Amino acid sequence: MSLSKLESLPNEILCDIIEKYINGVDLLRAFSYQLNQRFDAIISRSQRLRFNFIQCHKDDFRICMGLLPAYMDKIEQLAISERETPGQVQAFLSFFPSLTLFRQLRTLYFDFDCGIVSELLIYWALNSLLRSNIETLSITAVNMNNGSNIEYTIR
């Protein structure tokens, strides 16, 4: 039995693997703009991507923030969290204050610390969801004080 290499798989199978099984963070880190035109074309041709930034290394996060605008119309699932990555939500919402920029977004996992993230950024992001096609939303907020405007936005 011979071993197959990733490069020997047909484009259709690679596209299916990318859309269904690979985290967009890993995809961009490993393949995007790595001098492989075939993989760049397959990634560009993909219709659905999912990005899970939970426990994402800071360097990988920075790389993704630079490359993400090229893939915003393809992202269906997005997970952003402050847990073990302090400042990630603040940075993400500073780049993308309105989540309506992600036109295909259907699932959002949003975990933030009110003591770290700007209330105004959270407010804009959550209100932008009213104009989206979101189907599944999970919000976890910690360190909310009683005078917070975020409480009224979330309820």
Side-chain angles (χ1 to χ4, degrees):
M1 181 173 136
S2 71
L3 294 174
S4 294
K5 293 183 179 181
L6 187 64
E7 294 128 359
S8 66
L9 292 173
N11 290 353
E12 295 78 21
I13 292 176
L14 287 172
C15 192
D16 199 42
I17 290 170
I18 287 169
E19 291 182 350
K20 293 180 180 175
Y21 303 105
I22 298 180
N23 180 4
V25 174
D26 298 328
L27 184 68
L28 294 184
R29 182 75 172 133
F31 297 111
S32 189
Y33 305 107
Q34 298 292 324
L35 303 177
N36 188 326
Q37 292 178 347
R38 178 177 176 225
F39 277 101
D40 285 342
I42 292 169
I43 293 168
S44 294
R45 211 171 327 140
S46 297
Q47 298 299 311
R48 297 180 304 274
L49 297 174
R50 45 189 191 85
F51 280 79
N52 183 344
F53 289 106
I54 297 172
Q55 298 179 348
C56 179
H57 293 284
K58 196 177 272 188
D59 291 340
D60 293 344
F61 182 76
R62 284 190 196 126
I63 289 169
C64 286
M65 289 301 97
L67 297 174
L68 207 60
Y71 303 100
M72 286 173 33
D73 287 344
K74 300 171 187 239
I75 298 174
E76 284 189 349
Q77 296 178 17
L78 184 59
I80 315 164
S81 175
E82 290 285 315
R83 292 179 197 233
E84 300 190 32
T85 53
Q88 185 181 90
V89 173
Q90 177 78 24
F92 187 89
L93 293 179
S94 294
F95 277 101
F96 310 105
S98 174
L99 296 173
T100 57
L101 297 170
F102 302 93
R103 293 184 187 104
Q104 298 301 319
L105 187 63
R106 300 295 179 265
T107 303
L108 174 65
Y109 175 80
F110 198 52
D111 182 353
F112 62 93
D113 183 333
C114 292
I116 297 174
V117 183
S118 160
E119 282 189 24
L120 191 56
L121 284 177
I122 296 294
Y123 179 80
W124 285 338
L126 293 178
N127 276 328
S128 73
L129 292 175
L130 296 172
R131 297 179 308 279
S132 72
N133 294 320
I134 197 91
E135 295 170 357
T136 305
L137 175 62
S138 173
I139 300 173
T140 305
V142 296
N143 294 326
M144 293 180 69
N145 61 21
N146 289 337
S148 173
N149 291 330
I150 295 174
E151 287 184 52
Y152 302 107
T153 303
I154 294 174
R155 290 185 184 174

